[in-house]
Amino acid sequence: MEGVASEAASLAGHLQLGKLIYLYDDNNISIEGSTEIAFTEDRGKRFEAYGWQVLYVADGQDVAAIDRAISEAQSDARPSLIVVRTVIGYGLPTRAGTAKAHGEPPGDTELNGAKEALGWPLEPRFYIPDEVLAFYRQAVDEGAAREAEWQTRFDAYRAAHPDLAAELARRMAGELPTGWDKGLPDFPADIKGTATRNSSGKVLNALAARLPELFGGSADLAPSTKTWIDNDPSFDLDHTGRNVHFGVREHAMGAIVNGLAYYGGFVPFGATFLVFSDYMRPAIRLAALSHLGSISVFTHDSIGVGEDGPTHQPIEHLAALRAIPNLLVLRPADANETREAWIAAIAHRDRPSALALTRQSLPTLDRSVMASADGLRRGAYVLADLGQGRPEIILMASGSEVSLIVEAGQRLAEHHSVRLVSFPSWELFEEQDEAYRAEVLPPEITRRVAVEAGVAQGWRRWVGDAGRVLALDHFGASAPAETVFEQLGLTAGHVFATAEALLNDRA
Amino acid sequence: MEGVASEAASLAGHLQLGKLIYLYDDNNISIEGSTEIAFTEDRGKRFEAYGWQVLYVADGQDVAAIDRAISEAQSDARPSLIVVRTVIGYGLPTRAGTAKAHGEPPGDTELNGAKEALGWPLEPRFYIPDEVLAFYRQAVDEGAAREAEWQTRFDAYRAAHPDLAAELARRMAGELPTGWDKGLPDFPADIKGTATRNSSGKVLNALAARLPELFGGSADLAPSTKTWIDNDPSFDLDHTGRNVHFGVREHAMGAIVNGLAYYGGFVPFGATFLVFSDYMRPAIRLAALSHLGSISVFTHDSIGVGEDGPTHQPIEHLAALRAIPNLLVLRPADANETREAWIAAIAHRDRPSALALTRQSLPTLDRSVMASADGLRRGAYVLADLGQGRPEIILMASGSEVSLIVEAGQRLAEHHSVRLVSFPSWELFEEQDEAYRAEVLPPEITRRVAVEAGVAQGWRRWVGDAGRVLALDHFGASAPAETVFEQLGLTAGHVFATAEALLNDRA
């Protein structure tokens, strides 16, 4: 019934993933009662429409019939759905075939009744018949034999193809090749700059050349998310390319990327607009919970989307993603931070990452006067201290708003000393030691302004009681990006005025 | 392709919503190119499997054929899908039928080429042929005539059935009946108490008796969410009952609830576990953006879920919902606050609400010594000031953690003066005037502890730099609820120790 299952099955049918076999435990029961109350579609016909082979087993107790169906499924080039009619709570005297067997423990009477019907002893309570134990124990020897056979074949393969075997072993171990993060694009300072989605596309392609395990695609937005791996085919029926067309199926994309990460041998990514991260949240959460290195590339990350308007302008999404434990949220400020964000995402193979990237152009900061972009690896870092002496005020921002604090800071520096902090990742900053955090945000500097084109939620932690947060606690508007930023008060001028008021307040 | 579309179509087929007609603009193009790259399923067959009538129009320019198909769809008892083969960017000389016609403006050359092919003048640029204008203008007279006809019929209906007509007019105007919020259950103080999901079930049923427009259901969790309207049938093929079996389709549930709210005449609700709110976020966001009074009932709202473990224990969900602008998040502390939460949700007909309710029992607070539960309407309120004189410390919490601060506060009050604040809704509190906010949280009382079984994100705003937040910035664990609370440090003892340390720190 869940939509993600439809999305995934449709794509599996399209790609003819013939090794995929679903055993559908068709017990006719859901928590609210019979599935007849909500789910009367012809499930087999639906899967046929997806391009699946559909097989039926009339009696879920008929193990031989299930075995025959699995063999038939294996011999077919299509993915297969085996619809197995079963009875939930099989054997329970009154609860078999009812919703109670799903949602509630059976209790002694029902359990004993089932055991009596099967001719089993009532004690021990957790009883395993000897023949069942013996049957399952066969798997130990059989497994050992199969592993030995596989090892023999792999040893022969290694002898014949030592490089390929070593590469396979490396990938399956999840180890990155030496120097993978060296020689990536270094972007020169540029006032006009480029969108971070564009820089991301360049970095992704440089990485793809070094990391054959980099594999992924977009939910029908590759031209917009700039996530196409050049000179590499689509992942199509021949299953060789690295560019996946996930279709307009964000939730399945997230789940498939997780599946690739679980399987191993891949550094998998999926891409869409940040506002559509909502569709993928269950998958992102599972990646975070399961320590999977799934990478999400989220472009069009603010009101900078412009004319598409509030439905397409993320407002609450950065906060909502940061709320997920163990997820790394990375919102780079310019082209070079974008390179560093990709490095961080790939380096963290035991947790998921989400990159938030712009549609609109951002200046590429002049790193000869600003600190190196690799400060991103520590979550937040001092871009520059402007003016003389100890900073009187700290301006901090993430992503596209960093260029606003730079411009405002330069104006303020005519009369004040100003610290500029680029803050691309809360999680990485939280994970630094207290000494580093206090170095970047000295507790005694309480005049602080944070700027972000999203809800203020959570920024109070970084600006403190005396600080100010310039944010958007409401939905956006439809107009050219510059107009929206201007109308909603996210301009260098407004940052300057806010900071100046704060300086004068307690001068 | 989107999963929510599959969920909704499956349910529409099940319910045989025969008035539903989809015109499927089958232009074979998505943003990444031909739909052949990702979407080759047999769409018509899929909809047949859902129980829909499926019709085909071979040429989207053939208006007569479309008209015939619509008539055929109207005459059938099933919902209908009309698959209309079209050409995207019809008439554009080189972009017709290509992905560029979807994602990019056509530009002058293409536009002029299309106009020339149609024999249209190049200027004015936005050109409406006279015959098109005349055709559309017919709708003005026709619409006026139809409205007049409807009004005549409704006047006759009103004359024959004045009460029913008045009731219909009331409902469609979105007005609530006088006294709807009076005489609802008042729960006596009770140490053992009950789960707020149970109190919610009682309040919902009391409201359902007063509000015939209250209509909704659960995504296959009604026995757990306690959202069944007693003595009312299921919404089934006869379309009369008020209890909807949405099936395991959370996203479609959210979308359908929004549709009911848009249509008018309903106070619609949908229910599931809080952790599954992730599935519904796109729909909740649209409700917030569109000022729809959709109500979400989210039970099992914390690690109190217990044995089901981290996959089912919401951690980031309260923060993630609070991040959505215009959404009212209500997390009542006991049975009486649950009544007030329902009142607030229903009273706000121009914005969505989300109720966060427990699976586990909570004490029903003794309102003879605590303030009235209707303080919930202001978001946060002083439950009690314990001890003598001006409070030295404020303990605040939402939902199930309020009973922890009450117990800890009572112990602290042996030696200190303590303010207890119940904080069920950030949004409602933010919307109070500054005087009220300062009355509840006086700026000079800087010793503050906030307690919530979820991520700390955002609480810093309420406790200030000097305060402490007892929260969960990591996933939960699988064990009985009491054990999980104990192991993760969310106990009255830990609240007491934290508060005492804060008092001693600066004593």
Side-chain angles (χ1 to χ4, degrees), chain B residues 385-436:
Chain B
D385 283 336
L386 307 180
Q388 301 300 315
R390 176 177 165 281
E392 295 164 67
I393 190 167
I394 299 173
L395 305 184
M396 63 184 86
S398 80
S400 48
E401 288 67 67
V402 170
S403 55
L404 303 185
I405 65 166
V406 169
E407 192 183 331
Q410 282 161 348
R411 282 181 60 194
L412 282 169
E414 291 169 18
H415 302 288
H416 298 282
S417 55
V418 182
R419 167 163 292 188
L420 302 177
V421 170
S422 180
F423 209 147
S425 172
W426 290 7
E427 299 82 19
L428 290 179
F429 189 60
E430 283 160 16
E431 291 161 19
Q432 303 306 308
D433 58 30
E434 201 180 324
Y436 177 77

Side-chain angles (χ1 to χ4, degrees), chain A residues 335-389:
Chain A
N336 289 305
E337 278 196 15
T338 303
R339 177 190 63 239
E340 297 301 320
W342 266 107
I343 292 173
I346 290 175
H348 284 87
R349 287 296 78 221
D350 59 346
R351 66 196 294 190
S353 300
L355 278 67
L357 305 169
T358 66
R359 171 182 185 250
Q360 77 275 21
S361 288
L362 300 181
T364 304
L365 300 178
D366 184 351
R367 300 289 171 172
S368 71
V369 295
M370 304 267 179
S372 163
D374 66 8
L376 172 138
R377 301 178 195 190
R378 308 190 78 170
Y381 64 104
V382 179
L383 267 182
D385 283 336
L386 308 180
Q388 301 300 316

Side-chain angles (χ1 to χ4, degrees), chain B residues 312-329:
Chain B
H312 285 55
Q313 292 169 349
I315 294 291
E316 70 274 29
H317 299 79
L318 290 169
L321 290 170
R322 287 174 183 143
I324 300 176
N326 201 36
L327 172 68
L328 210 52
V329 180

Side-chain angles (χ1 to χ4, degrees), chain A residues 57-131:
Chain A
V57 172
D59 175 8
Q61 301 301 119
D62 184 349
V63 177
I66 295 173
D67 201 44
R68 279 194 304 274
I70 291 174
S71 295
E72 204 176 329
Q74 287 172 323
S75 67
D76 196 280
R78 295 167 293 175
S80 298
L81 174 75
I82 305 176
V83 181
V84 187
R85 174 60 69 170
T86 59
V87 175
I88 193 169
Y90 180 79
L92 298 179
T94 72
R95 295 195 170 186
T98 73
K100 283 196 173 185
H102 180 131
E104 299 173 26
D108 284 337
T109 314
E110 289 287 303
L111 209 56
N112 290 346
K115 284 182 163 181
E116 278 162 9
L118 289 164
W120 288 9
L122 300 189
E123 293 295 337
R125 197 167 158 78
F126 190 77
Y127 170 69
I128 302 173
D130 291 340
E131 61 188 297

Side-chain angles (χ1 to χ4, degrees), chain B residues 117-465:
Chain B
L118 289 165
W120 287 11
L122 301 189
E123 294 295 336
R125 197 167 158 79
F126 191 78
Y127 170 69
I128 301 173
D130 291 341
E131 61 189 295
V132 171
L133 188 66
F135 181 80
Y136 274 89
R137 284 276 159 88
Q138 294 177 59
V140 177
D141 290 341
E142 199 174 307
R146 290 197 184 195
E147 188 180 351
E149 186 207 352
W150 181 88
Q151 193 60 54
T152 305
R153 287 170 61 202
F154 189 67
D155 290 346
Y157 179 76
R158 194 199 312 270
H161 309 284
D163 292 354
L164 288 173
E167 176 68 3
L168 178 61
R170 177 189 74 74
R171 284 202 216 171
M172 294 310 292
E175 285 163 13
L176 298 167
T178 314
W180 67 273
D181 56 348
K182 299 291 178 285
L184 295 170
D186 191 6
F187 301 93
D190 180 0
I191 293 288
K192 190 163 159 281
T194 186
T196 48
R197 63 169 170 159
N198 292 331
S199 331
S200 168
K202 286 179 186 156
V203 174
L204 170 68
N205 271 281
L207 285 164
R210 290 162 175 75
L211 297 171
E213 60 264 53
L214 196 62
F215 180 95
S218 176
D220 194 39
L221 284 173
S224 297
T225 55
K226 311 292 180 190
T227 42
W228 193 262
I229 299 176
D230 296 328
N231 309 315
D232 211 296
S234 298
F235 181 82
D236 210 329
L237 290 190
D238 65 359
H239 301 173
T240 57
R242 288 198 282 168
N243 288 294
V244 183
H245 295 289
F246 287 104
V248 193
R249 302 181 183 104
E250 296 83 4
H251 193 170
M253 175 171 72
I256 292 164
V257 166
N258 288 349
L260 291 162
Y262 255 130
Y263 187 80
F266 295 99
V267 174
F269 68 91
T272 184
F273 292 169
L274 180 57
V275 80
F276 301 140
S277 62
D278 277 350
Y279 290 81
M280 296 174 59
R281 278 183 77 82
I284 295 172
R285 176 175 218 261
L286 278 178
L289 185 53
S290 310
H291 300 277
L292 300 176
S294 307
I295 300 173
S296 297
V297 182
F298 294 131
T299 66
H300 296 58
D301 76 342
S302 78
I303 50 170
V305 166
E307 291 86 343
D308 275 356
T311 53
H312 285 55
Q313 292 169 349
I315 294 291
E316 70 274 29
H317 299 79
L318 290 169
L321 290 170
R322 287 174 183 143
I324 300 176
N326 201 36
L327 172 68
L328 210 52
V329 180
L330 301 157
R331 188 168 186 246
D334 74 347
N336 288 305
E337 278 196 15
T338 302
R339 176 191 64 240
E340 297 301 320
W342 267 106
I343 292 173
I346 290 175
H348 285 86
R349 286 297 79 221
D350 59 347
R351 66 197 293 191
S353 299
L355 277 68
L357 305 169
T358 66
R359 170 182 186 249
Q360 76 275 21
S361 288
L362 300 181
T364 305
L365 299 178
D366 184 351
R367 300 289 170 172
S368 71
V369 295
M370 304 269 178
S372 163
D374 66 9
L376 173 138
R377 301 179 195 190
R378 308 192 77 171
Y381 63 103
V382 179
L383 266 182
D385 283 336
L386 307 180
Q388 301 300 315
R390 176 177 165 281
E392 295 164 67
I393 190 167
I394 299 173
L395 305 184
M396 63 184 86
S398 80
S400 48
E401 288 67 67
V402 170
S403 55
L404 303 185
I405 65 166
V406 169
E407 192 183 331
Q410 282 161 348
R411 282 181 60 194
L412 282 169
E414 291 169 18
H415 302 288
H416 298 282
S417 55
V418 182
R419 167 163 292 188
L420 302 177
V421 170
S422 180
F423 209 147
S425 172
W426 290 7
E427 299 82 19
L428 290 179
F429 189 60
E430 283 160 16
E431 291 161 19
Q432 303 306 308
D433 58 30
E434 201 180 324
Y436 177 77
R437 293 203 308 271
E439 192 185 312
V440 176
L441 301 177
E444 67 276 13
I445 309 179
T446 60
R447 288 190 188 94
R448 302 177 180 189
V449 179
V451 190
E452 193 171 73
V455 293
Q457 187 174 303
W459 276 105
R460 181 59 54 189
R461 175 170 178 197
W462 307 115
V463 299
D465 293 349

Side-chain angles (χ1 to χ4, degrees), chain A residues 188-194 361-366 403 406-407 410:
Chain A
D190 180 1
I191 293 287
K192 190 163 159 280
T194 185
S361 288
L362 300 181
T364 304
L365 300 178
D366 184 351
S403 54
V406 169
E407 192 183 331
Q410 282 161 348

Side-chain angles (χ1 to χ4, degrees), chain A residues 257-258 261 268 283-296 324-330 344-346 348-355 427, chain B residues 475:
Chain A
V257 165
N258 288 349
I284 295 172
R285 176 174 218 259
L286 277 178
L289 185 53
S290 310
H291 300 277
L292 300 176
S294 307
I295 299 174
S296 297
I324 300 176
N326 202 36
L327 172 67
L328 209 53
V329 180
L330 302 156
I346 290 175
H348 284 87
R349 287 296 78 221
D350 59 346
R351 66 196 294 190
S353 300
L355 278 67
E427 300 81 19
Chain B
F475 293 108

